[in-house]
Amino acid sequence: MNISLEGKVAIVTGAGGGLGRSHALALAARGARVLVNDFGGRRDGREPSNAVAQRVADEIAALGGDAIASGADVSSVDQVAEMVDLAIARWGRVDILVNNAGILRDRTFAKAELDDFRTVLEVHLMGSVHCTKAVWEPMRQQGYGRIVFTSSSSGLYGNFGQSSYAAAKMALVGLMNTLRLEGEKHGIRVNCLSPSASTRMTDDIMESEQLALLGPERVSPAVVALCAEGAPNGMILCAGGGSFERAYVTLTRGIRLGDGECAEQILAQLDRISDRTGEMIPDHGPDQASWEMGRTPATLVA
């Protein structure tokens, strides 16, 4: 399968460097016209500059592509609306949205300031919500859309000192799981990317040996796949160092206790509850209750 994005219009947030720049270049190389967005601040989101987005747009143009720049702050609803209007005014549509913008304000939960916690959520979670909301109706009307949320292994599995970042990144999985249902009949496919890459966000987190192996360009093929005509829907695609995996949120078959049995029984049988033999992947949230209501009393289903 030869993936072509000719005629498609993409918005990539946080695309002034690192993963976002790599994603923007990869989409442009496949023929997409790209709005390069970056607030241009430091890693913690302070000291914005429009110059970084323009540099990447110029880079795409120098390679023969079509790109424009936006310094919109994704945490601002009004600025995001102006950014999407800019893309539509220039190219008439938006087909692809890659939500990549993010900041870090890492501290242990005991030392974290609540204002910093909220700011991280505003950029990662609400920034993705703002951008997705702005393109949702245009995509519904045209009957086509590809949306990528950037999750993280920190959200999926946890990471010391990253409570705010992890909370935002796992929230995006929940958002994806609902939007993939709501968008499907309108031709909108929504997925999550969980990347491992050497960027300024990870410079003081990863070892030097890891940084050498995890170039952003080795993640971006996953973004191209998730933005393609044949993209999946509702996938958490992990990528790093040229390796690609899929993460799942699963439900074990568990046990059912009889009426009146107590919490002590839960603790006593945690190993059986945790047994992953025959675990399932619910299609949507109500499947959990359907499974639970259909159990035979006081039995363990292997």
Side-chain angles (χ1 to χ4, degrees):
M1 181 187 300
N2 184 29
I3 298 173
S4 173
L5 299 176
E6 290 289 340
K8 296 292 190 284
V9 175
I11 295 175
V12 184
T13 69
L19 281 167
R21 170 184 170 273
S22 179
H23 300 340
L25 289 169
L27 295 173
R30 297 283 181 155
R33 294 165 286 187
V34 183
L35 184 147
V36 178
N37 162 259
D38 203 297
F39 190 53
R42 299 183 329 208
R43 190 172 69 167
D44 62 5
R46 298 181 175 95
E47 298 181 7
S49 169
N50 291 334
V52 291
Q54 188 60 57
R55 280 199 297 270
V56 177
D58 292 343
E59 188 176 359
I60 291 171
L63 293 169
D66 191 0
I68 53 177
S70 166
D73 177 358
V74 297
S75 68
S76 166
V77 174
D78 291 341
Q79 290 185 41
V80 166
E82 291 174 3
M83 175 182 73
V84 173
D85 287 346
L86 176 63
I88 292 175
R90 172 72 174 261
W91 295 305
R93 57 189 293 124
V94 176
D95 303 283
I96 294 165
L97 170 64
V98 180
N99 289 292
N100 174 74
I103 62 172
L104 287 178
R105 295 190 182 178
D106 291 352
R107 302 199 81 182
T108 62
F109 191 65
K111 296 179 180 179
E113 298 289 340
L114 288 179
D115 284 346
D116 284 341
F117 200 109
R118 290 190 186 96
T119 299
V120 171
L121 292 177
E122 279 293 324
V123 176
H124 286 278
L125 175 57
M126 292 310 300
S128 295
V129 170
H130 297 159
C131 293
T132 302
K133 183 68 171 176
V135 303
W136 193 255
E137 191 55 33
M139 287 182 174
R140 274 169 44 98
Q141 290 179 6
Q142 70 196 18
Y144 185 93
R146 299 290 182 266
I147 296 172
V148 178
F149 294 122
T150 304
S151 186
S152 171
S153 58
S154 295
L156 295 171
Y157 311 114
N159 197 27
F160 191 91
Q162 290 198 309
S163 57
S164 58
Y165 181 78
K169 291 306 191 183
M170 196 59 184
L172 290 169
V173 174
L175 179 60
M176 178 268 288
N177 278 328
T178 292
L179 294 189
R180 58 108 178 168
L181 296 170
E182 295 183 4
E184 189 169 25
K185 68 180 179 181
H186 301 289
I188 304 172
R189 300 181 188 179
V190 187
N191 295 281
C192 277
L193 173 73
S194 177
S196 298
S198 55
T199 70
R200 65 175 182 159
M201 299 282 271
T202 59
D203 280 348
D204 56 1
I205 298 173
M206 293 181 175
E207 300 294 331
S208 58
E209 295 81 2
Q210 293 175 308
L211 294 173
L213 294 172
L214 296 174
E217 69 282 355
R218 305 188 76 183
V219 171
S220 294
V223 170
V224 173
L226 294 178
C227 295
E229 183 78 27
N233 195 23
M235 178 180 286
I236 306 169
L237 184 59
C238 305
S243 178
F244 304 91
E245 309 83 27
R246 182 173 185 175
Y248 290 96
V249 178
T250 65
L251 185 70
T252 66
R253 300 180 75 82
I255 64 171
R256 187 186 193 283
L257 298 174
D259 293 341
E261 296 198 52
C262 61
E264 285 80 359
Q265 284 294 315
I266 297 173
L267 292 181
Q269 299 194 63
L270 281 180
D271 285 347
R272 298 174 76 187
I273 292 170
S274 302
D275 184 359
R276 300 188 65 175
T277 303
E279 68 182 358
M280 61 199 101
I281 303 165
D283 288 329
H284 59 149
D287 286 352
Q288 176 185 327
S290 296
W291 169 253
E292 292 162 345
M293 289 186 293
R295 303 296 295 273
T296 301
T299 60
L300 169 69
V301 179

